[in-house]
Amino acid sequence: MARANDEAAALIQELADLLSITGGDAFKIRAYEKAARAVAGHPDDIAGMDLAGLRTIPTVGEAIAKKLLDYNTTGTIRQVEELRAQIPAGVRALTAIPTLGPKKALAVYEELGISSVPELAEAIQAGRLRGLKGFGAKTEQNILHGIELMQQSGERVLIDVATDLAEEIVAALAALPGCLRCTYAGSLRRMRETIGDIDVLAASAEPGPIMAAFTALPFTAEVIASGEKKTSIRTTKGLQVDLRVVPPESWGAALQYFTGSQAHNIRTREIAVRAGLKLSEYGLFDAESGELIVSETEEEVYERLGLPWIPPVLREDRGEIEAALKGALPRLVTVDDLRGDLHSHTDLTDGIATLEEMVEAAAARGLEYYAITDHAPNLFMQRMTDEKMLAQREQVRALQKRYPDLTLLHGTELNIDPEGGVDWDADFLSGFDVCVASIHSHFTQDPAEMTRRLIRACENPYVHVIGHPTARSIGKRRPVDADWDEVFKAAARTGTAMEIDSFPDRLDLPADLIRRALHHGVKFSVDTDAHSLGHHRNIRYGIGTAQRGWLTPDDVINTWPLERLRTFLKKTT
DNA sequence: GCCGTTTTCGGCCCGACTGTTTTCAGTCG
């Protein structure tokens, strides 16, 4: 269920948006935006907090604490309600059109009474914007084009789609003679779960030919902007790609800047300012003399700011600066730390590779243990039976002899029914080495029922891992609604791991819930849920998500040596 | 609106590109 923090943060953000339309003080607006992020990322639930408690949240002062208190008691914020009465929701929606910001939105509303996207499109067609100050022919065209883009998708793409495209672009540009370095940065380097646009960075003393090669790429559908230092295109599939070309000596500063996030950059630049320095994509400079101090590597830039190098996956201004200053950054889990995979399928159910092929792929990954976890009978379409499952177990045991360095675990992926029960009784379940249990149906139970359902699954002594816990499908199915703090408490109490499923359209648990679960002392299993040989490669996305959740190897049970894992699977705690 | 080993007042990240402009505002990241 939506946490109080998320709802309150959305209201504070709305306050910032509405103030930017009415022309409020820009610094006040930024203060609200910062506070909205801080509230959303705060580990403790703000529901029930008093004024003093709220003020302990960084960037929340007296005034914003009072607004949060207002939310805690009334469920809304008075100032937001007042501004909503003044600015229709449709006007705020106008700012979602690319190239149309708060100033232009207010202009068309005040001058022409336009308060929705369709109205605006109609007004432009009818020539009603002619003569409006700041709106020329080109602006009209850009707005219409922006509306079109917004309507025909303009959506974020999954991380695997973006990664494949980015790697293709980087390979093409890196091959050019004048290109000294090239990589992708932005949200893709931070491994966000969906990507709005791809940021590519190149180092060259001569940008011209690189820009030309970039706009000439076969999938370039449109050049959005093109300058000496920066070029933006849109691909045939509608994804925007920005290319920045910087002098080679600026590489480190540019990579730091271009990786973001914007909120993280603001923090690092503030630290620079306080130290009498100036940080830009060209380097770290002395503010007074303008003399360049460092710029060649990211490590140098951070070091000169008094910080250790911060992994890109943490650069969201969600506490990483504070942790870095205290020397308390986590040693993040990596793909190389993994010793096993606890969730995979074969063609016995809905996988498309044989048991032998899947095991061979696991061995090629260098794993020390690998679990086969085909679907259980209650997912009726997979037609699993007790006999088939037991026959597979024999096959697994026989196959084991061929893999002296890879321990095969025979498991299953159970279905958590609406009451929290699973497919088999204790007797049958006790025969498995490991059981993942997942929600595959009845996604829309009310939060109280869903919470009980998940807690009961955790309390089952034979359930070791809750598979893709929110059951979301990014862009298709919403996460199930539960009181996650209660679920995580139960998981920690019973010694049940939460899975991080590596499928690009799942990435489940999501990073924000991982951090909340970590806060409760939960352990995790980062799995592929592979249904084919190619799916083994998805592990990097699961690990990226785990890293965004601040996980260390110790938090992830499938980095543990087999003996330690086996102890955990006994659930004796 | 927030915040302070320069500060309880006066700052607040920085730059690129576009379009409508004659020197800059708006938008974006």
Side-chain angles (χ1 to χ4, degrees), chain A residues 140-455:
Chain A
E140 286 187 357
Q141 246 176 49
N142 287 343
I143 293 173
L144 285 178
H145 186 52
I147 292 173
E148 202 181 316
L149 285 171
M150 203 168 61
Q151 284 167 345
Q152 58 165 256
S153 82
E155 274 176 21
R156 301 176 69 88
V157 301
L158 296 178
I159 191 169
D160 58 333
V161 174
T163 301
D164 290 348
L165 178 59
E167 287 179 346
E168 191 179 341
I169 293 170
V170 167
L173 298 183
L176 298 171
C179 183
L180 301 172
R181 306 189 75 159
C182 187
T183 190
Y184 59 80
S187 56
L188 191 55
R189 185 170 179 234
R190 302 199 312 277
M191 297 208 74
R192 278 197 56 173
E193 58 193 30
T194 60
I195 306 298
D197 51 44
I198 294 175
D199 301 302
V200 178
L201 180 65
S204 176
E206 217 189 321
I210 298 177
M211 297 298 189
F214 179 57
T215 55
L217 286 171
F219 40 76
T220 297
E222 176 192 0
V223 178
I224 300 165
S226 178
E228 179 73 1
K229 296 169 173 165
K230 175 182 169 180
T231 294
S232 299
I233 62 136
R234 199 176 325 276
T235 68
T236 46
K237 286 183 180 161
L239 196 59
Q240 183 173 330
V241 186
D242 296 337
L243 170 67
R244 282 286 289 261
V245 182
V246 298
E249 60 274 18
S250 303
W251 179 256
L255 186 56
Q256 196 278 332
Y257 159 79
F258 216 22
T259 297
S261 65
Q262 196 177 5
H264 175 88
N265 284 353
I266 290 173
R267 292 296 305 276
T268 52
R269 289 176 182 204
E270 281 171 356
I271 290 171
V273 169
R274 277 201 295 280
L277 307 169
K278 187 188 73 158
L279 179 60
S280 78
E281 56 264 53
Y282 298 109
L284 189 61
F285 300 88
D286 184 285
E288 283 210 0
S289 68
E291 188 190 347
L292 176 68
I293 299 169
V294 287
S295 62
E296 283 181 32
T297 69
E298 276 193 329
E299 285 81 356
E300 287 174 324
V301 171
Y302 280 106
E303 188 187 356
R304 191 60 187 74
L305 292 174
L307 297 166
W309 180 81
I310 299 175
V313 287
L314 299 184
R315 300 182 193 171
E316 300 290 346
D317 190 23
R318 288 286 186 96
E320 77 279 6
I321 301 277
E322 290 73 11
L325 287 168
K326 282 192 294 191
L329 284 173
R331 198 298 243 166
L332 297 174
V333 63
T334 66
V335 170
D336 288 340
D337 290 322
L338 292 178
R339 294 173 192 260
D341 192 331
L342 299 182
H343 187 175
S344 73
H345 297 268
T346 73
D347 59 4
L348 184 61
T349 55
D350 58 349
I352 59 166
T354 63
L355 171 65
E356 288 77 8
E357 289 169 332
M358 292 302 277
V359 169
E360 185 55 39
R365 281 169 63 189
L367 297 179
E368 294 173 27
Y369 48 89
Y370 182 62
I372 309 295
T373 56
D374 269 312
H375 287 290
N378 291 357
L379 202 62
F380 298 106
M381 58 194 284
Q382 306 302 342
R383 283 176 278 187
M384 177 55 77
T385 62
D386 294 12
E387 294 71 31
K388 280 167 140 180
M389 199 46 121
L390 293 173
Q392 186 188 51
R393 185 171 302 159
E394 293 311 309
Q395 283 181 277
V396 168
R397 301 299 181 230
L399 193 57
Q400 177 68 75
K401 297 186 180 72
R402 282 167 35 194
Y403 292 93
D405 300 325
L406 173 64
T407 300
L408 299 180
L409 303 174
H410 189 239
T412 184
E413 182 181 13
L414 301 162
N415 307 286
I416 306 175
D417 70 28
E419 284 73 45
V422 297
D423 307 64
W424 281 296
D425 61 16
D427 189 45
F428 197 89
L429 289 175
S430 66
F432 290 105
D433 298 316
V434 57
C435 293
V436 178
S438 316
I439 288 176
H440 291 119
S441 62
H442 301 86
F443 300 111
T444 55
Q445 284 179 310
D446 78 57
E449 281 179 328
M450 188 61 81
T451 305
R452 274 199 301 277
R453 179 183 185 183
L454 284 162
I455 289 175

Side-chain angles (χ1 to χ4, degrees), chain A residues 193 472 507 509-516 545-546 548-550:
Chain A
E193 58 193 30
R472 70 168 176 174
L507 299 177
L509 284 180
D512 55 340
L513 285 179
I514 294 172
R515 285 193 79 181
R516 268 164 74 187
T545 303
R548 290 179 59 81
W550 291 51

Side-chain angles (χ1 to χ4, degrees), chain A residues 470-484:
Chain A
T470 79
R472 70 168 176 174
S473 171
I474 297 174
K476 294 205 179 80
R477 182 171 65 231
R478 298 174 54 78
V480 299
D481 204 356
D483 184 337
W484 290 107

